[in-house]
Amino acid sequence: MIGLFFLGCISLPSIYWVISTIYRYFAAVPSCINQRKIRVINPLLLYENGLYSEDEKRLCTAVKELSKAEGLPRTPVVGIELSDDNPNAFAVGATRSYAMVVVTTGLIKQLNEREVAAVMAHELGHIANLDTMAKTLLSAALDGVMLILFTPMLLIVWHFGRFVALLMLAAGLIYGLFGNWQHATVFLVGVLVWIILMMLPTITKSLVTLLTFWHSRWREYHADAVAARLTSVDDLVSALAILDRLPFQPPKQNREQMATLWIRVAMKEEVGTFHWLKHTHPPIHKRIEALRRGLYLR
């Protein structure tokens, strides 16, 4: 019975996690379209009469040419987030052949055609480098660890282990009062182990979050390098400088999920050795410096 209990605690969450991960992996593009007010521009229907405006055709044509220059097997679907005046852009997708790049109406209004193309090239760089896939899988891995390992463990440690921990704490205090510190230390170490087990999910989630943020910051430099190679350093630097000057409003929907996707995020000038750990993007002035110095370019 105990064996069947543990098998159910692990197998059922595992099956749920596999199904949800497969769905999240392949439904990234349609889910994004459904959750956000995005006008989709299909490259295959670009020249249908009256279907798209001239601005939409130019945007999609630029993405098509940049995708071909980067060697992507298929041009990503192009989307315009109509209800967002906040200048930004992002990319989603499971593979290089199944992806979408999205630009907000605010970005189209604030940047010129060459700067918009540079931003699109940055997002295509994320797709070409498989960053969108890596972010999806990293998030799914965290959910899997939390669901499959820690949920059953916390159930057992809390409902059964707390009584043992209380007995060990009482025994440790009693032995300590009588001066038998050797036995007291053994019981108090047992209590400490119980506390660590209870905190382990939180510690793991924090470490994985830091890893996700580090990966996001590192890949931003590489996506910038792709954009500079496909367009020009000056166009991308100009676009980033304008975005840095404009106010930023965090998205109202899926704020945490979107944080690693946007080309820019809200970031205050802060001091301190480790303040950068809580940001998903490097400061724009450092990205511009890397572009000017030719770092990550190949």
Side-chain angles (χ1 to χ4, degrees), residues 39-43 46 52 56-57 59-60 76-80:
R39 174 169 170 76
V40 177
I41 306 173
N42 192 332
L46 188 60
Y52 301 118
E56 291 170 341
K57 289 180 181 178
L59 177 64
C60 191
V77 175
V78 181
I80 300 178

Side-chain angles (χ1 to χ4, degrees), residues 1-10 156 160:
M1 293 298 294
I2 295 175
L4 290 175
F5 173 76
F6 280 103
L7 182 62
C9 287
I10 295 177
I156 296 169
F160 299 103

